Every structure is written in C-alpha cells, then in structure tokens.
Amino acid sequence: RDEDASISLFAESEGDAVAVILDPWRDELFTALRGGGAELNGEPMHCAGEALPDVLVGTASSADPERSWPQLRGIYYLGPPRSRGVRILQNASLGHAWVACGRLGSFFSVNS
C-alpha cells in the first residue's frame, strides 16, 4: 500500500482553470479554481505562513541518480536546525497540496 499515492487532474479552458488532487488513503479531496481559492474537503485552505525554522519542509523522492545528489544536498541544507524537519513524499502533487493546507511550510523537488 503506497499511502503517498494520489490522483491529480488539471483542466484549463478559455482562461478558467481547475485542479483536483484526490488522496484516497486519507479520504481527502483538494480542489482549486483560478481566482476562487482552494479547498480541502469543501473547507477553505490556508498556508502556514510561518518562518522556515518553524515549519516542516517537504520534498519528493527520486530514483534517478542524477537528481538524488542535488536532492540530498537540499535535504541537508533545509533540515534541522534550519527547519523543523524534512518529510519525503512519493509525489509532488501531494507536497504542493500539503503546503496549501498548512501541513508543510515549504516543498521542493529537483528537475533535470
């Protein structure tokens, strides 16, 4: 069972946009409308808005060796005492959703 798995959808048409992330393991539905805010299970979400030393930082894992070293350097530099800690997730969509609802204070990933 991969508890960091999620289903993500995004659609855009004529300037309107909607994003949906379903976390079936936690029974959570994240939704966002361009210009309309974001919600978690129908309730408005808000970012933590705290300083880096007070927040948990998230990152996505990578099996790619080219990305692993920069990722590990980021974890080293953003880990305690610079932050409260680092949480490694399986996917970036949940990481961004968790920042939006205040569960994480920041999220980063390394792209090639």
Side-chain angles (χ1 to χ4, degrees):
R1 177 171 146 162
D2 186 356
E3 294 186 12
D4 283 339
S6 65
I7 300 165
S8 306
L9 302 169
F10 174 79
E12 182 178 34
S13 177
E14 299 178 16
D16 292 326
V18 61
V20 177
I21 301 170
L22 174 64
D23 181 349
W25 306 110
R26 294 174 186 85
D27 196 27
E28 294 180 329
L29 180 65
F30 299 88
T31 57
L33 299 173
R34 180 177 287 154
E39 297 180 344
L40 169 56
N41 291 339
E43 297 295 322
M45 291 191 297
H46 304 284
C47 296
E50 299 174 27
L52 186 59
D54 300 323
V55 300
L56 189 61
V57 175
T59 186
S61 63
S62 175
D64 181 354
E66 295 295 318
R67 293 181 183 178
S68 294
W69 283 113
Q71 195 85 9
L72 289 172
R73 279 194 302 273
I75 291 170
Y76 173 77
Y77 287 114
L78 288 173
R82 292 176 182 93
S83 70
R84 207 173 75 211
V86 177
R87 168 85 190 257
I88 299 173
L89 300 171
Q90 294 295 321
N91 69 65
S93 61
L94 272 183
H96 293 289
W98 284 16
V99 170
C101 74
R103 210 169 278 165
L104 294 174
S106 181
F107 182 84
F108 76 96
S109 62
V110 176
N111 296 321
S112 57

